[in-house]
Each structure stands twice: as C-alpha cells, then as structure tokens.
Amino acid sequence: KSVKKGFDFTLMVAGESGLGKSTLVNSLFLTDLYKDRKLLNAEERITQTVEITKHTVDIEEKGVKLKLTIVDTPGFGDAVNNTECWKSVADYIDQQFEQYFRDESGLNRKNIQDNRVHCCLYFISPFGHGLRPLDVEFMKALHEKVNIVPVLAKADTLTPSEVKKKKMKIREEIEQYGIKIYQFPDCDSDEDEEFKQQDLELKESIPFAVIGSNTVVEAKGKRVRGRLYPWGIVEVENSAHCDFVKLRNMLVRTHMQDLKDVTRETHYENYRAQCIQSMTRMVVKERNRNKLTRESGTDFPIPLVTGGTDSETEKLIREKDDEVRSADHEPESHQQQRGPEQRGDHSCDQHESETQSRQLEDQAV
C-alpha cells in the first residue's frame, strides 16, 4: 500500500549563503528548484530577514513515487546582527507540528497531509576551525525539534587530511556542547558483515563532506558529474572524493523511514505532550477560577487556614460529639439498670398523684 500510494518527505536546508546549499539539493535529486531565484547584492542583504521558502517536486525511481518538499532558509546568517536569526526556523517547525496536531484532533483524520520537517541538513563552513558560535546556537535551539544532519560544505577546498581533522574537531565540539544530532540506529546482530561495515562507515562520515555540481564533465573517457579544475576533475559521485553518495543513499534509500519514525515518535510526541499539558493546566485554572467566583462572589483567592488550626477545630468538634452521644445513651442505661419492682413503684406513685388531682377538682366544683 505504501509503495502504491507513494511517500512524503520534507527536507530542510539551513546555513549561510554561498556554501552550496542550492547546488547540493539540485545534485541530490537531479532537479532545478532554484531557476527563478534572484541573488541579492551586499546592501540588500543587510536589511534582509530570514525567510522560509518551500519547493515541492515529485520524484519517481523504480516505480516508487516520492513527494519531496524542500524547505529553504534564505537570509540565515547573512545579517550584521544575527541574534536569534534561527527563531523563524524554529517557529516554522512548531507551526507544522501545530497544524498536524489540529488535523489529528479534527473530525476527518484519514487524509492528513504531513508537512512536518523530517530532516534538517545544516551546512558548516569549511573555512575556520570547527563550529562557529552561530552554528552552536542554531543546533542547540533546534536539536529537540528536528533531526539535524551536519554537512561539511565545499569539501573540495580541503585536502583529505584537513577533511579528516575537521570532521574529528566538529564531532568533538558537538559532544562538548551537548548537541543532539540525528543518531543512526544500531545494526541487528543477525545482519551480514558487509551491511555492518557500511553502517560503521556511515557513522564515521558525520559530518558528511560534500561537493555539489550540476555540470557534466568528461574524465578518462567517461562523462561524469563533477567540477573541472586546472589540476584535475573532482567527481561528485566518487566516494574517494567526497561523501555525496553516502548522504544521498542515507536520505533517499536506507534511513528515510527511520527519519520519519524518529520525527513522529520523539519530536512530535514531545510537542504533543507539551500541548496537552498546557491545555490541561488552562482547563484546571479556569475551573478553579469559576469555582471561586461561584462560592465567594469575588475573583480574589480565599486565604487557606493553616494545618494546626484545622486539627484543633476537629478535636473540639470530636469532643462535643462524644459528650452528646454519652448524654443520649445515659437515660437508656439508667432504665435498663432499674429492676421491675422499681418500675412498678413508679407506676403506683403515678396512680396516687392522679387520684389526688381528681379529688381537688371535685372540691373546686
């Protein structure tokens, strides 16, 4: 059913301008999503705010349909003051969660459109030493909302040894700052050795060192996608040159369903739990407010009596109850203690008093 219906996947790309985000996306999915894009000059970028743009494309591979949504963040990290420039990105992710939560709570739940962001490719600049403060703040702000996959952009500007050192440095800093990036699931023990080796290589490739290119060049008699330099050709789809193939396989083939599952079971469930908790608090608060208004006719809270006074009052009430109970039982116990003769004498006395009263009445007449 899933293969027949097709799959939905939403991918977000984030990072500063000039790191090759658009080129990589076009290289990954063999499309041209940014043909109508207008590049801003330096002055226009100063006043530019972070935008959210969506591009949707339908891809079909081996009879399987994929509806791919690319969410881009132009303007991120380009301003002079980048304070909280990630806020609009976090708000967009929350808005998609909120929309899905509303649809899920509605009447028609069969055809819910899933626009939740399943993966975020965050592009790290190859220039500099490790992560910048902006990179750390962005990932810390979003790591509990979306699956972050760090990407080392423009890896052809670095030598192989520099790529290795930079990857190690970035991994150390991610662990040092407590950033939770997407964790690849562990292999089952019954998997074959080749698959285990591939999974290990995938985990060691973080962050993926990538090169993007949409031009076809000729290398050794073959036409390949790559970049032509005076000293040679960099092949995009050659694993010895970059991690482009590993990233594409991970996104489209091997880990797409796991990315969606983690989004649904972890990130969305956390958001849903927070929503339900806040709604419950609001309902309880409103109920308590209405109760106070009904009982006292005022919105001011009634001061609570201390625990010591309560216990003393209860003690006094208990003592009074015991006294009343003992007073009720006392006449019955006296009646039971008297013998039958005492009860007879009492009846005789009563008869004599009645006779005397009758005589007094006769005398009066």
Side-chain angles (χ1 to χ4, degrees):
K1 279 185 180 178
S2 298
V3 170
K4 190 177 179 182
K5 187 181 176 183
F7 296 92
D8 293 332
F9 190 72
T10 303
L11 177 69
M12 176 181 275
V13 287
E16 68 178 39
S17 299
L19 292 180
K21 300 191 297 295
S22 312
T23 308
L24 183 73
V25 168
N26 289 336
S27 305
L28 279 170
F29 304 106
L30 296 174
T31 56
D32 190 7
L33 295 175
Y34 302 93
K35 53 190 173 193
D36 300 327
R37 187 177 60 163
K38 180 193 171 188
L39 295 174
L40 303 176
N41 59 32
E43 283 188 356
E44 290 170 327
R45 281 191 197 170
I46 292 172
T47 56
Q48 186 191 18
T49 55
V50 181
E51 299 174 15
I52 303 292
T53 58
K54 282 174 67 175
H55 304 274
T56 304
V57 61
D58 293 319
I59 299 171
E60 188 168 342
E61 185 177 339
K62 296 179 183 177
V64 179
K65 292 179 182 178
L66 171 65
K67 185 185 176 186
L68 179 72
T69 304
I70 304 292
V71 181
D72 201 357
T73 57
F76 175 79
D78 289 350
V80 176
N81 182 8
N82 289 311
T83 306
E84 292 192 347
C85 62
W86 55 84
K87 199 171 185 309
S88 57
V89 182
D91 289 343
Y92 175 80
I93 295 170
D94 284 338
Q95 284 167 15
Q96 305 315 307
F97 282 157
E98 183 186 352
Q99 185 60 45
Y100 193 86
F101 182 67
R102 288 178 185 276
D103 293 343
E104 198 180 42
S105 308
L107 294 173
N108 184 17
R109 294 182 294 171
K110 285 184 179 178
N111 302 314
I112 299 176
Q113 190 173 2
D114 186 6
N115 290 321
R116 295 172 294 184
V117 180
H118 301 117
C119 179
C120 175
L121 292 181
Y122 185 72
F123 285 69
I124 299 168
S125 173
F127 317 115
H129 303 284
L131 298 175
R132 296 173 305 157
L134 181 61
D135 303 333
V136 175
E137 290 300 321
F138 176 87
M139 289 196 273
K140 283 176 82 170
L142 295 182
H143 65 170
E144 291 185 347
K145 298 177 185 289
V146 67
N147 298 312
I148 296 176
V149 176
V151 171
L152 183 60
K154 295 194 172 183
D156 51 342
T157 61
L158 303 168
T159 64
S161 61
E162 286 174 338
V163 169
K164 197 173 180 181
K165 284 179 185 174
K166 198 168 281 289
K167 280 187 176 188
M168 200 176 296
K169 175 77 172 169
I170 290 169
R171 281 200 296 265
E172 285 174 2
E173 289 185 339
I174 284 172
E175 190 175 347
Q176 177 187 342
Y177 294 118
I179 298 167
K180 301 171 190 170
I181 59 171
Y182 171 66
Q183 297 294 323
F184 295 106
D186 295 326
C187 288
D188 295 330
S189 55
D190 56 348
E191 294 284 358
D192 56 357
E193 291 300 321
E194 186 181 352
F195 187 82
K196 286 182 180 177
Q197 184 62 31
Q198 285 178 0
D199 189 68
L200 186 65
E201 287 177 5
L202 204 61
K203 288 177 180 176
E204 289 177 349
S205 298
I206 295 288
F208 294 98
V210 294
I211 303 166
S213 175
N214 297 317
T215 56
V216 178
V217 294
E218 192 168 332
K220 298 177 184 177
K222 292 191 298 181
R223 290 175 67 78
V224 294
R225 277 195 302 157
R227 304 178 77 88
L228 182 62
Y229 291 101
W231 43 264
I233 293 172
V234 173
E235 297 177 30
V236 170
E237 296 179 340
N238 188 340
S239 298
H241 292 184
C242 67
D243 299 327
F244 176 83
V245 175
K246 291 177 185 175
L247 178 64
R248 186 179 62 187
N249 287 342
M250 187 274 291
L251 281 177
V252 181
R253 294 184 182 137
T254 57
H255 288 75
M256 178 183 283
Q257 192 57 45
D258 187 64
L259 285 163
K260 293 177 75 172
D261 290 343
V262 172
T263 301
R264 186 184 71 248
E265 295 168 7
T266 305
H267 301 303
Y268 173 67
E269 280 301 317
N270 289 341
Y271 174 84
R272 186 170 171 272
Q274 287 172 5
C275 280
I276 292 171
Q277 280 178 358
S278 61
M279 285 163 63
T280 308
R281 282 197 209 101
M282 284 171 63
V283 169
V284 171
K285 197 174 178 182
E286 186 68 23
R287 194 180 295 159
N288 290 341
R289 196 171 68 83
N290 292 339
K291 190 178 176 184
L292 286 171
T293 309
R294 275 200 311 273
E295 288 181 356
S296 60
T298 177
D299 286 338
F300 296 107
I302 300 169
L304 295 173
V305 186
T306 55
T309 313
D310 279 349
S311 60
E312 289 171 11
T313 310
E314 287 175 7
K315 189 178 176 183
L316 286 169
I317 291 169
R318 210 177 295 115
E319 287 176 0
K320 287 288 181 188
D321 286 344
D322 291 341
E323 286 177 13
V324 172
R325 208 175 289 115
S326 62
D328 289 343
H329 287 300
E330 196 171 345
E332 295 177 9
S333 60
H334 283 313
Q335 187 75 9
Q336 288 172 1
Q337 285 170 6
R338 286 181 189 168
E341 297 171 359
Q342 290 174 331
R343 283 199 294 272
D345 295 341
H346 177 70
S347 59
C348 291
D349 294 340
Q350 191 176 0
H351 181 66
E352 286 176 4
S353 63
E354 286 176 3
T355 309
Q356 286 174 1
S357 63
R358 211 175 283 123
Q359 286 173 356
L360 289 169
E361 285 175 7
D362 292 339
Q363 286 173 5
V365 169

